[in-house]
Amino acid sequence: MQETSTDQETTVVSRPTLAFKGQGSELFSIEIVNMVLTALTLGLYYPWAKAKNLQYIYRKTELADSPFTFHGTGKEMFIGFIKGVGIFAVLVSILIYGLSSGDDGVKFLCFALYFIGFLALIPLAIHGMMRYRTSRTSWRGIHMGYRGTLGNMYKVYFTGFFLSIITFGIYSFWFTTNLRKEILGNMRFGNAKFRYIGDGSDLLLINVKGYFLTIFTLGIYSFWWAKDLINFYIDNILIEQDGKYSRLNSSLTGGEYFVLTVVNLFILIFTLGLGYAWVVTRTMSAIINNCEIIGEFNPDALAQTEEEYKNATFEDMADMMDIGII
């Protein structure tokens, strides 16, 4: 909080706060039902389970004391889930056909088609996931949105992918930051725009420093390395509103991350995995409650600009491919 004084009066200017107020016990009561129903339906309940989890996480995340809302439904995700399974089934069928073929030419062709198809699905899944997830997210009725094009996503992804290969992984740091620039640069929060200004060289230095200090400290520095990465990804996010810029700032420390990780590990071990709900809520609390918005961002001035998008095909496909961009 900042205070500015004049001879006549004192004006208090407060920053909009971010907070996560979820409780492990509440999330556990949701997840235990989800697990039972998912098992009884042989996995078919998964889209509804995911929707319920996201709805809880969103409504427990607040900006300026008002919660976010996730409007996605199990029905939307189930339709997307079936489509995603169908696409994967086609790719797996091609691979199996190649493995069972006695013709080396056919085998090579099937392997190539499977690899190219799987690789082509990644930017498609990221693009579709962002369109769906942002559109189904709102705060005080103001929807988020994603205006990126699939063509640009393919360009950024494949350029970064191949440059990372030919540079033996060195370009991967620029690939990571460029991908975030493409994603965040096309995100909208009503009439507010996001930008990402992180640079690959800074990310490279963080990882080089983290790698060697982790070795020298016999692994102890790894927690501070992880903290540096989290702060790098958060601190470089800008918000533009009416020509004015604000930025996110993370105050998470290495000590806090060390305690968080160690306690989370013990929770998972001693509960045989059943304490995962507490791990999620503890982690969300540590990251979000240590994050603040610095600048002149005014949530009360947000205005609706985005349209709804209900195609959840690539929301579930992103899960299948273990893509966790958001």
Side-chain angles (χ1 to χ4, degrees), residues 19-316:
F20 181 76
K21 298 182 178 180
Q23 299 293 325
S25 56
E26 295 174 341
L27 183 57
F28 177 75
S29 66
I30 295 171
E31 289 194 339
I32 195 67
V33 174
N34 285 343
M35 286 189 288
V36 172
L37 292 177
T38 300
L40 291 175
T41 59
L42 302 179
L44 292 179
Y45 187 76
Y46 170 75
W48 282 270
K50 181 178 180 181
K52 289 183 182 298
N53 277 2
L54 288 174
Q55 287 162 5
Y56 175 80
I57 294 295
Y58 276 56
R59 70 172 176 266
K60 291 298 181 177
T61 305
E62 297 182 357
L63 168 64
D65 298 320
S66 294
F68 285 86
T69 301
F70 179 68
H71 301 272
T73 65
K75 180 180 178 181
E76 290 172 356
M77 292 188 177
F78 179 72
I79 295 172
F81 177 73
I82 295 300
K83 291 179 181 178
V85 169
I87 293 172
F88 270 110
V90 171
L91 288 176
V92 172
S93 297
I94 292 173
L95 180 62
I96 292 174
Y97 180 77
L99 289 172
S100 61
S101 175
D103 189 319
D104 290 339
V106 173
K107 187 173 295 187
F108 175 80
L109 178 62
C110 289
F111 282 146
L113 287 174
Y114 174 80
F115 177 75
I116 294 171
F118 188 85
L119 194 62
L121 281 178
I122 297 175
L124 181 61
I126 295 173
H127 176 77
M129 175 181 66
M130 290 303 301
R131 285 196 67 189
Y132 177 75
R133 183 75 70 90
T134 55
S135 172
R136 308 305 278 149
T137 299
S138 74
W139 176 83
R140 292 184 184 173
I142 305 296
H143 280 262
M144 299 187 76
Y146 179 72
R147 299 186 181 183
T149 65
L150 185 56
N152 279 342
M153 177 60 73
Y154 271 115
K155 180 181 178 181
V156 171
Y157 185 84
F158 282 114
T159 299
F161 179 79
F162 288 113
L163 286 177
S164 296
I165 290 177
I166 64 176
T167 60
F168 301 100
I170 295 175
Y171 188 80
S172 63
F173 304 103
W174 284 265
F175 179 21
T176 298
T177 52
N178 287 341
L179 192 58
R180 277 178 162 75
K181 287 177 181 178
E182 172 65 20
I183 292 171
L184 286 165
N186 285 293
M187 280 181 61
R188 301 290 185 270
F189 185 9
N191 59 338
K193 303 176 183 179
F194 289 88
R195 283 182 58 194
Y196 188 75
I197 59 172
D199 187 75
S201 58
D202 294 329
L203 183 57
L204 172 61
L205 290 175
I206 289 173
N207 280 280
V208 170
K209 173 187 172 183
Y211 176 77
F212 285 107
L213 287 179
T214 297
I215 292 176
F216 293 150
T217 60
L218 302 178
I220 295 175
Y221 189 79
S222 62
F223 302 100
W224 279 259
W225 182 7
K227 177 269 299 183
D228 287 342
L229 289 173
I230 291 171
N231 291 349
F232 173 79
Y233 292 134
I234 292 175
D235 292 351
N236 285 295
I237 297 176
L238 298 185
I239 306 172
E240 179 188 354
Q241 184 184 36
D242 299 326
K244 299 177 181 178
Y245 285 91
S246 304
R247 72 177 181 87
L248 297 186
N249 179 70
S250 173
S251 58
L252 182 67
T253 67
E256 289 172 332
Y257 190 78
F258 171 79
V259 173
L260 171 70
T261 305
V262 171
V263 174
N264 282 350
L265 182 61
F266 278 112
I267 289 174
L268 289 175
I269 292 174
F270 289 107
T271 64
L272 301 178
L274 291 176
Y276 181 70
W278 282 267
V279 171
V280 171
T281 54
R282 282 171 46 77
T283 303
M284 292 289 292
S285 295
I287 294 176
I288 295 178
N289 294 338
N290 276 297
C291 188
E292 64 177 338
I293 302 174
I294 299 176
E296 300 181 58
F297 175 66
N298 181 8
D300 295 326
L302 290 171
Q304 185 67 272
T305 61
E306 306 306 303
E307 298 178 353
E308 287 191 329
Y309 179 77
K310 299 183 179 181
N311 187 340
T313 300
F314 299 103
E315 170 74 24
D316 287 302

